[in-house]
Every structure is written in structure tokens, then in C-alpha cells.
Amino acid sequence: MEVKECVYVVSDSVGETADLVVKAVATQFNGGFVEIKRNAFVEDTEDIEDLIIMAKQGPSIIAYTIVIPALKEYLDKRVKEEGLVAVDLLHPLMDAFSGTFHKNPKNQPKLMRQLDDSYFRKIEAIEFAVKYDDGRDPRGLLYADIVLVGVSRTSKTPLSMYLAHKCYKVANVPLVPEVAPPDEIYQIPRGKCVGLIISPDKLNSIRKERLKNLGLTSQANYASFERILEELDYAEKIMKRIGCPVINVSNKAIEETADYILNVLKKERNS
């Protein structure tokens, strides 16, 4: 029986990196003639011995991404003893990093998976912020890590997106005198909700600029001091009823406000 050529993808983690590299190379040879077998989470010498036995059965290559030094040394030793072909896909580049940037590698497996998990948490948080922006669906308030409440133009949406990039699921609710806030807003724990306020002068300036960008007159009720004071007074009453901490965003950058929010909520939860 004909033995098919085989590439053994070996890793002390998932093995996705080595798998992709091998497949990329295989396509240069039309790939179909070679079988690719992934051996993930190789953790001890017994795993390597099992691999050696399989690799000796026919024409084969071992392509590996092993960062644990003792395990790599053992594999290199056994491959040499058995006359097998093995390709280290990580260490030549790691050595280049070390020599050029004068840094030492951690030599810890599964770090890439940790990065991937962080990336997907961030994407999930961003999608959450978009879905529950501007009070679109109050059901999301009960699942949010942070809920922001405030009148229009208090940076609720930019703050939600900034915090989402830090992997926090954020929902925000606009407070408007003519529209009663959703019931869910009163069910949020103090340690998850923050009220945003702003000085009347600052809000007046921001709203006038907003109207200008929309091609509307700055004399509209939206930017009038009377309307602004009415909204701020209404928002303050709602925030007192919720019992949430309140932050003045008048002269703060988004980054500064976001850090302040996280510190305030941390204190609330600890108390």
C-alpha cells in the first residue's frame, strides 16, 4: 500500500500558526498530494515519542511551533537521532527579535490564544455598544457592564465606543423631559450606572455648533438656555432617583472621562 506524504503540525498550543504556514507552503505544490496532521497541546516527551513513531512510517516533515525550551530541545534531539526532517517555524524569527530589539521571549505557550480571546471580547463589546446606543433597546441595559445616562451632547456615544475598545459592554440612554426613561434604568446596580452632566454654557456652545453643522439656525429651541436648563434639571432628578454617581464632562477629553468613569465605578463596587 502506498504511503501518502505527510506533514505533522506540532505545537504546545493550538497549532493554528503552524497549520496556516504549512497550508500556505503546500499550495505552492498544489497541496493535494500531502496530508496535514495537526498535533496540538504537546506537553511532554511522551507526546513527542508518539509523534516520532508516526513520522517514521513514511515520507514526512515535522513543522513545529514549540516555545517551551526543554520540549523543543528534546524534539530536536530525537529528530536528529531518527534522521527525520523537522522545521522550526518560530525560533529563527524569535532569535531575530532578540538580537535586533534586545528583548527576551517569554517562552510561554498559548499567548496567541490569549490575544485572540481579547480581540473577540473587544469586537463583542463594540457590537454591544452599537446595538444599545442611544436607548435603542432598553433590554440591553440589564446586560451591560456600564450604563451611561445624560442629556443630548454629553458624549455618551463616543464614551461608549471608547470603553468598548477596552472590552466593556456599554449602553447609553438619553434623558429627555418629554420621554420617560425605560423601567430597566431603575434596576441597574449603582456600580454599573453613571450620570453625565455638563455646564449650561458648554452645552449651549456644543449644541449651537451641532445646529450649524446641520444647516439649522442656532436660535432653535434645542440650543436655547431655557431648554438646556430644563433638560439638565430633569436629568439631575432622574440621576438622583437612580442613585448613580455623576460626572461633569464639561472640560474633559473622552479618554479622561472614561478613566474617571472606571475609577468611580470601581469605588462604587468596592463600597
Side-chain angles (χ1 to χ4, degrees), residues 68-89:
I68 301 174
L71 214 53
K72 169 185 160 44
E73 290 173 10
Y74 187 84
L75 175 58
D76 289 341
K77 172 177 169 290
R78 292 294 291 122
V79 163
K80 186 176 180 180
E81 289 173 351
E82 299 294 340
L84 297 170
V85 176
V87 180
D88 182 348
L89 299 176

mmCIF file of all heavy atoms in Angstrom, residues 68-89:
data_model
loop_
_atom_site.group_PDB
_atom_site.id
_atom_site.type_symbol
_atom_site.label_atom_id
_atom_site.label_comp_id
_atom_site.label_asym_id
_atom_site.label_seq_id
_atom_site.Cartn_x
_atom_site.Cartn_y
_atom_site.Cartn_z
ATOM 1 N N ILE A 68 8.333 26.053 24.583
ATOM 2 C CA ILE A 68 8.906 25.554 25.839
ATOM 3 C C ILE A 68 10.306 25.003 25.541
ATOM 4 O O ILE A 68 10.448 24.017 24.798
ATOM 5 C CB ILE A 68 8.024 24.444 26.443
ATOM 6 C CG1 ILE A 68 6.611 24.988 26.718
ATOM 7 C CG2 ILE A 68 8.647 23.891 27.715
ATOM 8 C CD1 ILE A 68 5.624 23.937 27.173
ATOM 9 N N PRO A 69 11.362 25.626 26.059
ATOM 10 C CA PRO A 69 12.735 25.263 25.686
ATOM 11 C C PRO A 69 13.063 23.781 25.829
ATOM 12 O O PRO A 69 13.616 23.175 24.906
ATOM 13 C CB PRO A 69 13.590 26.118 26.632
ATOM 14 C CG PRO A 69 12.729 27.309 26.944
ATOM 15 C CD PRO A 69 11.333 26.776 26.993
ATOM 16 N N ALA A 70 12.724 23.167 26.959
ATOM 17 C CA ALA A 70 13.083 21.758 27.188
ATOM 18 C C ALA A 70 12.395 20.848 26.180
ATOM 19 O O ALA A 70 12.983 19.873 25.695
ATOM 20 C CB ALA A 70 12.701 21.357 28.611
ATOM 21 N N LEU A 71 11.172 21.170 25.831
ATOM 22 C CA LEU A 71 10.413 20.358 24.887
ATOM 23 C C LEU A 71 10.982 20.497 23.474
ATOM 24 O O LEU A 71 11.108 19.507 22.737
ATOM 25 C CB LEU A 71 8.947 20.789 24.915
ATOM 26 C CG LEU A 71 7.883 19.716 24.689
ATOM 27 C CD1 LEU A 71 8.070 18.549 25.637
ATOM 28 C CD2 LEU A 71 6.489 20.320 24.831
ATOM 29 N N LYS A 72 11.349 21.720 23.115
ATOM 30 C CA LYS A 72 11.956 21.950 21.803
ATOM 31 C C LYS A 72 13.285 21.210 21.687
ATOM 32 O O LYS A 72 13.569 20.563 20.669
ATOM 33 C CB LYS A 72 12.172 23.445 21.567
ATOM 34 C CG LYS A 72 13.036 23.739 20.334
ATOM 35 C CD LYS A 72 13.333 25.195 20.184
ATOM 36 C CE LYS A 72 14.545 25.451 19.305
ATOM 37 N NZ LYS A 72 14.623 24.656 18.078
ATOM 38 N N GLU A 73 14.106 21.282 22.727
ATOM 39 C CA GLU A 73 15.409 20.610 22.711
ATOM 40 C C GLU A 73 15.243 19.095 22.571
ATOM 41 O O GLU A 73 15.986 18.437 21.832
ATOM 42 C CB GLU A 73 16.188 20.943 23.986
ATOM 43 C CG GLU A 73 16.661 22.392 24.051
ATOM 44 C CD GLU A 73 17.276 22.728 25.392
ATOM 45 O OE1 GLU A 73 17.509 21.781 26.193
ATOM 46 O OE2 GLU A 73 17.504 23.930 25.664
ATOM 47 N N TYR A 74 14.251 18.552 23.248
ATOM 48 C CA TYR A 74 14.023 17.109 23.167
ATOM 49 C C TYR A 74 13.583 16.702 21.763
ATOM 50 O O TYR A 74 14.062 15.695 21.216
ATOM 51 C CB TYR A 74 12.980 16.673 24.192
ATOM 52 C CG TYR A 74 12.823 15.173 24.284
ATOM 53 C CD1 TYR A 74 13.681 14.409 25.077
ATOM 54 C CD2 TYR A 74 11.820 14.506 23.561
ATOM 55 C CE1 TYR A 74 13.555 13.027 25.148
ATOM 56 C CE2 TYR A 74 11.693 13.124 23.630
ATOM 57 C CZ TYR A 74 12.567 12.395 24.423
ATOM 58 O OH TYR A 74 12.451 11.019 24.493
ATOM 59 N N LEU A 75 12.685 17.500 21.178
ATOM 60 C CA LEU A 75 12.232 17.198 19.825
ATOM 61 C C LEU A 75 13.391 17.279 18.835
ATOM 62 O O LEU A 75 13.569 16.388 17.989
ATOM 63 C CB LEU A 75 11.121 18.172 19.411
ATOM 64 C CG LEU A 75 10.623 18.054 17.966
ATOM 65 C CD1 LEU A 75 10.101 16.651 17.690
ATOM 66 C CD2 LEU A 75 9.544 19.087 17.675
ATOM 67 N N ASP A 76 14.203 18.318 18.932
ATOM 68 C CA ASP A 76 15.361 18.463 18.026
ATOM 69 C C ASP A 76 16.303 17.261 18.158
ATOM 70 O O ASP A 76 16.816 16.741 17.159
ATOM 71 C CB ASP A 76 16.107 19.763 18.342
ATOM 72 C CG ASP A 76 15.334 21.000 17.913
ATOM 73 O OD1 ASP A 76 14.421 20.868 17.072
ATOM 74 O OD2 ASP A 76 15.635 22.103 18.424
ATOM 75 N N LYS A 77 16.526 16.825 19.380
ATOM 76 C CA LYS A 77 17.420 15.696 19.643
ATOM 77 C C LYS A 77 16.881 14.406 19.018
ATOM 78 O O LYS A 77 17.594 13.675 18.327
ATOM 79 C CB LYS A 77 17.600 15.538 21.157
ATOM 80 C CG LYS A 77 18.346 14.278 21.600
ATOM 81 C CD LYS A 77 18.506 14.309 23.113
ATOM 82 C CE LYS A 77 18.993 12.978 23.667
ATOM 83 N NZ LYS A 77 17.973 11.898 23.586
ATOM 84 N N ARG A 78 15.608 14.124 19.237
ATOM 85 C CA ARG A 78 15.020 12.888 18.735
ATOM 86 C C ARG A 78 14.909 12.875 17.209
ATOM 87 O O ARG A 78 15.113 11.839 16.565
ATOM 88 C CB ARG A 78 13.624 12.689 19.360
ATOM 89 C CG ARG A 78 13.650 12.407 20.835
ATOM 90 C CD ARG A 78 14.322 11.058 21.133
ATOM 91 N NE ARG A 78 13.476 9.957 20.667
ATOM 92 C CZ ARG A 78 13.859 9.036 19.779
ATOM 93 N NH1 ARG A 78 15.076 9.062 19.254
ATOM 94 N NH2 ARG A 78 13.036 8.057 19.425
ATOM 95 N N VAL A 79 14.606 14.026 16.635
ATOM 96 C CA VAL A 79 14.523 14.127 15.169
ATOM 97 C C VAL A 79 15.882 13.819 14.542
ATOM 98 O O VAL A 79 15.992 13.091 13.546
ATOM 99 C CB VAL A 79 14.024 15.530 14.759
ATOM 100 C CG1 VAL A 79 14.313 15.802 13.291
ATOM 101 C CG2 VAL A 79 12.540 15.676 15.047
ATOM 102 N N LYS A 80 16.945 14.371 15.147
ATOM 103 C CA LYS A 80 18.294 14.140 14.642
ATOM 104 C C LYS A 80 18.681 12.666 14.768
ATOM 105 O O LYS A 80 19.267 12.078 13.841
ATOM 106 C CB LYS A 80 19.284 15.018 15.409
ATOM 107 C CG LYS A 80 20.702 14.968 14.869
ATOM 108 C CD LYS A 80 21.596 15.939 15.622
ATOM 109 C CE LYS A 80 23.018 15.892 15.077
ATOM 110 N NZ LYS A 80 23.918 16.831 15.805
ATOM 111 N N GLU A 81 18.319 12.061 15.894
ATOM 112 C CA GLU A 81 18.643 10.651 16.117
ATOM 113 C C GLU A 81 17.932 9.734 15.114
ATOM 114 O O GLU A 81 18.477 8.721 14.668
ATOM 115 C CB GLU A 81 18.246 10.253 17.545
ATOM 116 C CG GLU A 81 19.133 10.862 18.624
ATOM 117 C CD GLU A 81 18.616 10.589 20.025
ATOM 118 O OE1 GLU A 81 17.478 10.069 20.165
ATOM 119 O OE2 GLU A 81 19.329 10.906 21.006
ATOM 120 N N GLU A 82 16.730 10.078 14.734
ATOM 121 C CA GLU A 82 15.937 9.234 13.849
ATOM 122 C C GLU A 82 16.083 9.610 12.374
ATOM 123 O O GLU A 82 15.487 8.985 11.505
ATOM 124 C CB GLU A 82 14.454 9.302 14.251
ATOM 125 C CG GLU A 82 14.153 8.812 15.663
ATOM 126 C CD GLU A 82 14.422 7.326 15.821
ATOM 127 O OE1 GLU A 82 14.464 6.599 14.804
ATOM 128 O OE2 GLU A 82 14.586 6.874 16.978
ATOM 129 N N GLY A 83 16.861 10.662 12.099
ATOM 130 C CA GLY A 83 17.064 11.071 10.711
ATOM 131 C C GLY A 83 15.826 11.647 10.052
ATOM 132 O O GLY A 83 15.643 11.535 8.832
ATOM 133 N N LEU A 84 14.970 12.279 10.838
ATOM 134 C CA LEU A 84 13.741 12.881 10.314
ATOM 135 C C LEU A 84 13.964 14.348 9.956
ATOM 136 O O LEU A 84 14.947 14.969 10.376
ATOM 137 C CB LEU A 84 12.616 12.753 11.347
ATOM 138 C CG LEU A 84 12.199 11.316 11.700
ATOM 139 C CD1 LEU A 84 11.253 11.322 12.900
ATOM 140 C CD2 LEU A 84 11.545 10.639 10.506
ATOM 141 N N VAL A 85 13.033 14.892 9.199
ATOM 142 C CA VAL A 85 13.105 16.304 8.815
ATOM 143 C C VAL A 85 12.132 17.100 9.676
ATOM 144 O O VAL A 85 10.937 16.781 9.731
ATOM 145 C CB VAL A 85 12.740 16.491 7.325
ATOM 146 C CG1 VAL A 85 12.726 17.981 6.966
ATOM 147 C CG2 VAL A 85 13.713 15.726 6.445
ATOM 148 N N ALA A 86 12.642 18.119 10.336
ATOM 149 C CA ALA A 86 11.800 18.981 11.169
ATOM 150 C C ALA A 86 12.139 20.437 10.889
ATOM 151 O O ALA A 86 13.304 20.784 10.687
ATOM 152 C CB ALA A 86 11.981 18.661 12.651
ATOM 153 N N VAL A 87 11.114 21.269 10.871
ATOM 154 C CA VAL A 87 11.299 22.696 10.608
ATOM 155 C C VAL A 87 10.724 23.493 11.776
ATOM 156 O O VAL A 87 9.545 23.365 12.111
ATOM 157 C CB VAL A 87 10.595 23.117 9.297
ATOM 158 C CG1 VAL A 87 10.800 24.604 9.047
ATOM 159 C CG2 VAL A 87 11.107 22.296 8.122
ATOM 160 N N ASP A 88 11.570 24.302 12.386
ATOM 161 C CA ASP A 88 11.172 25.180 13.479
ATOM 162 C C ASP A 88 10.619 26.473 12.870
ATOM 163 O O ASP A 88 11.353 27.249 12.259
ATOM 164 C CB ASP A 88 12.381 25.468 14.368
ATOM 165 C CG ASP A 88 12.036 26.337 15.567
ATOM 166 O OD1 ASP A 88 10.930 26.907 15.612
ATOM 167 O OD2 ASP A 88 12.891 26.451 16.464
ATOM 168 N N LEU A 89 9.326 26.720 13.022
ATOM 169 C CA LEU A 89 8.694 27.875 12.387
ATOM 170 C C LEU A 89 8.764 29.155 13.225
ATOM 171 O O LEU A 89 8.448 30.225 12.722
ATOM 172 C CB LEU A 89 7.227 27.559 12.083
ATOM 173 C CG LEU A 89 6.977 26.398 11.123
ATOM 174 C CD1 LEU A 89 5.484 26.141 10.980
ATOM 175 C CD2 LEU A 89 7.602 26.671 9.769
#
